[in-house]
Amino acid sequence: MKTERIDKVLAKHGFGTRKEVKKLLHTGLVLVNDNVVTSQDFKIDLEKDSLVVDNEKINLRTNLYIMMNKCQNVVCSSKDGLHKTVFDLLDEEDNHSFMGGDLHCTGRLDIDTEGLLILTTDGALTHKLISPKSEITKKYAVTLREPVSPETQKQYIINCETGFQIPPEGKEAAFTSLPAKLEFFSETTCNLTITEGKYHQVKRMFQALGNEVIFLKRISIGNLNLDENLQPGEYRELSNEEINKIFSL
């Protein structure tokens, strides 16, 4: 059983500040299990109780889990003075705190990178997904500038399977990549699956191989695939099945 004060629950579900919620409670419009609640320290069971505000049933949620198909030219930040952020793409009803905390990105995609982005209020899940110890796979669809011959493709694949030296970029140090899986579909298109998330990693890997990434899209995280019905910039809540998938990673 998980209980919380009614004023905190209402505030986290978008009904204003604690002061505003206190005024709302005094109106008699807040019902828990069909009983009027006016006390701000009344405890509500998030798993069992029914909450109605002004004749509208409220879907009580501890955490929010969102799958977004991130589009280009937006950044994975809550605030940016120059660019639109992924949070600007959200409806107002989703873009606020929940009982589990503030909505945030689990990892980042570059401004020019598209694809699967998970946003959540669940800090435990975020830690699981971004921790290097988890070794969770991320698969990217890649388009390269220079065509790669079949013979050179084999060498690319071997380098990725064994790991190779990646030069520094700016303040980011050089590193040796962990074993990765590379699959070619043509001379310029391929999928790369990695288990780490260094700064500009995919781009730096292909640059070290002597090529340049001109299009990059993340298509899966572990066993969770990007919904093909989501257009760039669109999002939806994860299903219970999908949430269970990422928790089982």
Side-chain angles (χ1 to χ4, degrees):
M1 181 175 71
K2 181 174 177 55
T3 62
E4 289 285 359
R5 284 171 52 116
I6 187 70
D7 59 348
K8 182 178 179 182
V9 171
L10 290 169
K12 290 294 185 180
H13 280 74
F15 288 95
T17 64
R18 292 285 184 93
K19 186 176 181 180
E20 291 169 334
V21 165
K22 185 177 180 180
K23 290 181 180 179
L24 174 63
L25 287 164
H26 288 164
T27 65
L29 295 175
V30 179
L31 283 72
V32 176
N33 300 330
D34 297 326
N35 297 311
V36 174
V37 174
T38 58
S39 173
Q40 63 191 55
D41 58 2
F42 179 88
K43 292 290 184 69
I44 183 170
D45 186 331
L46 297 173
E47 297 175 353
K48 296 181 180 179
D49 289 342
S50 168
L51 174 64
V52 174
V53 179
D54 195 13
N55 295 318
E56 180 181 352
K57 183 174 174 58
I58 307 303
N59 181 22
L60 291 173
R61 292 184 287 185
T62 302
N63 282 304
L64 180 65
Y65 303 91
I66 285 176
M67 171 191 291
M68 176 180 286
N69 184 1
K70 179 190 170 297
C71 54
Q72 295 185 15
N73 300 318
V74 297
V75 295
C76 296
S77 172
S78 57
K79 293 181 181 179
D80 188 288
L82 297 175
H83 305 98
K84 197 173 184 179
T85 79
V86 293
F87 295 93
D88 294 325
L89 303 176
L90 300 173
D91 294 334
E92 185 177 348
E93 63 186 31
D94 296 317
N95 195 4
H96 62 83
S97 298
F98 282 76
M99 299 308 299
D102 293 330
L103 189 65
H104 57 271
C105 300
T106 61
R108 295 174 181 270
L109 292 174
D110 296 338
I111 188 170
D112 58 351
T113 301
E114 299 182 6
L116 178 57
L117 182 68
I118 298 174
L119 298 92
T120 186
T121 55
D122 191 333
L125 176 62
T126 300
H127 177 74
K128 179 184 180 70
L129 291 178
I130 68 176
S131 173
K133 294 181 180 179
S134 299
E135 296 186 349
I136 294 173
T137 59
K138 292 98 177 174
K139 182 185 288 187
Y140 295 84
V142 182
T143 302
L144 299 171
R145 182 174 300 280
E146 301 298 331
V148 184
S149 68
E151 198 61 37
T152 305
Q153 288 180 22
K154 293 177 183 178
Q155 190 57 54
Y156 276 24
I157 291 170
I158 291 172
N159 287 341
C160 288
E161 287 178 343
T162 57
F164 60 103
Q165 185 73 8
I166 310 297
E169 180 178 326
K171 296 180 180 180
E172 300 297 319
F175 67 98
T176 300
S177 63
L178 294 177
K181 181 180 180 182
L182 180 61
E183 306 168 271
F184 274 93
F185 303 107
S186 72
E187 290 189 334
T188 56
T189 59
C190 56
N191 284 351
L192 178 67
T193 304
I194 59 177
T195 57
E196 51 189 337
K198 303 285 189 182
Y199 178 74
H200 288 174
Q201 178 160 349
V202 175
K203 297 173 185 175
R204 290 167 69 186
M205 286 177 70
F206 282 103
Q207 188 174 33
L209 291 171
N211 216 314
E212 181 185 355
V213 174
I214 60 173
F215 176 78
L216 187 60
K217 179 177 182 177
R218 184 158 64 193
I219 55 178
S220 70
I221 298 175
N223 54 8
L224 179 67
N225 297 319
L226 177 64
D227 186 340
E228 295 180 353
N229 294 317
L230 287 178
Q231 297 302 308
E234 292 184 343
Y235 73 95
R236 65 167 174 78
E237 286 193 52
L238 291 174
S239 66
N240 289 333
E241 180 182 357
E242 289 169 331
I243 293 171
N244 291 333
K245 272 187 176 183
I246 55 178
F247 270 107
S248 67
L249 293 174

